[in-house]
Amino acid sequence: MAYTTIPKSTDYFNTVTYTGNGSVGTALTTGTFQPDFTWIKNRGTVENHVLIDAIRGASFNIASNLNRAETNVSDKVSAFTSTGVTLGSSAETNENSQPLVAWNWKANGSGSANTDGSINSTVSVNTTSGFSIVKYDGTQATATVGHGLGIAPKMIFFKNVDIADEWLAGANAGSVNFTQYAYLNISNAFSGNGVAFFNNTNPTSSVFSLGNSANINKSGGAIMAYCFADVQGFSKIGHYVGNQSTDGPFIYTGFKPAFILSKKIDGASDWYIFDSKREGYNPDNDTLLPNQVTVESTTDYIDILSNGYKVRTADGDLNTNGGNYVYMAFASEPLVSTNGIPATAR
């Protein structure tokens, strides 16, 4: 049976749905911890995604669907609190009467210095949950950067926050590794040229590697990296092969998923986010697209189960016959917790 050192997943990751009110200074409780990385999307109207972290500060936001540099405005989010964030009046984070969602990860506050790589970094890390936020200044030369996890991350998202340039995504699962790359903000397939971005090198337990691309290593540029590792019973970065049937693949995670991010590897496709709070029952697991401004889709694509999820569509973005897909999932509860109680299906 699966086991975990994290019996309560919501101590480290939580999804919160809420209705905006348009008022400056609105307190949004996202859980029992300060959310050191928060990702917000307006579900009801066409608005950008908003991503903030505790290293840069709550008012410094970037958008997963755009290549723009960060903006420093308080009308989206103005502060982190011990149990959430303080919202502004922007429609992107607090449109009156509209449904919104916030996905929240715990790291370790504003971070500390890390000298493990050839480039020094600032790292906010939670080694228990396998998540770190990394900030470093690029050199435009082959280099390594410390991530602080103590285990190798299997998915990393990079953004140069100083300039308009694409988000980079790297993953190591199944048919994909860090000899390939994709963009989070557009729908291209994972492609070669890992030398320019990741020096064709998978991350180690202490560092990730950089090529000389400006996307992730521009000389003097401030670069953010969001690093995720596997933690049994809590998080899983993996791979599956599609069959183009509504009786699609079952993906075993070892826990009941609270959040799923999925992307086709070997063909152009959108990125997909599912979570267990929006609708909150099978088969109504609504979809948001990190690379799009679109509103939430109510098309039914997956079932969330006690030990993974089941693909219920023949849509090529999620289930082409023989197609390869990468996913990242976080738990709402483990299959079997430290108390010996098994999870149930929805």
Side-chain angles (χ1 to χ4, degrees), residues 192-225:
N193 198 28
V195 172
F197 297 115
F198 311 125
N199 200 29
N200 270 355
T201 304
N202 288 325
T204 71
S205 61
S206 59
V207 299
F208 54 79
S209 295
L210 304 176
N212 60 9
S213 169
N215 293 72
I216 60 173
N217 197 12
K218 181 177 174 60
S219 180
I223 320 293
M224 299 304 301

Side-chain angles (χ1 to χ4, degrees), residues 49-277:
H49 294 251
V50 175
L51 285 71
I52 58 171
D53 64 70
I55 291 182
R56 292 178 301 127
S59 65
F60 292 86
N61 67 89
I62 45 182
S64 63
N65 57 288
L66 296 174
N67 68 1
R68 74 181 183 196
E70 70 181 1
T71 60
N72 180 11
V73 292
S74 60
D75 68 330
K76 295 175 177 54
V77 181
S78 60
F80 288 105
T81 70
S82 61
T83 57
V85 295
T86 303
L87 301 174
S89 60
S90 169
E92 293 178 0
T93 59
N94 196 18
E95 184 173 359
N96 188 41
S97 300
Q98 289 298 324
L100 297 101
V101 62
W103 302 293
N104 310 280
W105 287 262
K106 177 179 174 61
N108 190 25
S110 59
S112 58
N114 182 294
T115 59
D116 289 341
S118 60
I119 296 176
N120 292 340
S121 57
T122 300
V123 176
S124 178
V125 60
N126 195 302
T127 56
T128 301
S129 63
F131 170 60
S132 69
I133 306 165
V134 181
K135 183 178 182 181
Y136 61 93
D137 293 332
T139 63
Q140 210 122 8
T142 301
T144 58
V145 178
H147 54 68
L149 287 170
I151 56 177
K154 295 184 69 177
M155 185 170 284
I156 307 177
F157 298 104
F158 297 86
K159 181 68 180 79
N160 186 330
V161 298
D162 281 347
I163 62 173
D165 213 340
E166 315 304 340
W167 283 79
L168 256 292
N172 185 18
S175 66
V176 67
N177 58 40
F178 281 76
T179 66
Q180 300 155 278
Y181 71 94
Y183 297 120
L184 178 62
N185 57 296
I186 55 180
S187 60
N188 69 301
F190 276 83
S191 304
N193 198 28
V195 172
F197 297 115
F198 311 125
N199 200 29
N200 270 355
T201 304
N202 288 325
T204 71
S205 61
S206 59
V207 299
F208 54 79
S209 295
L210 304 176
N212 60 9
S213 169
N215 293 72
I216 60 173
N217 197 12
K218 181 177 174 60
S219 180
I223 320 293
M224 299 304 301
Y226 303 97
C227 306
F228 302 90
D230 280 354
V231 174
Q232 184 165 274
F234 173 75
S235 58
K236 178 69 174 175
I237 295 94
H239 163 266
Y240 69 90
V241 178
N243 63 10
Q244 206 154 10
S245 167
T246 54
D247 183 14
F250 165 69
I251 294 92
Y252 175 80
T253 61
F255 50 78
K256 181 192 293 186
F259 173 100
I260 300 161
L261 173 71
S262 180
K263 172 74 171 76
K264 189 175 185 180
I265 294 169
D266 46 11
S269 74
D270 289 318
W271 294 78
Y272 283 74
I273 289 179
F274 306 94
D275 65 61
S276 59
K277 294 292 182 68

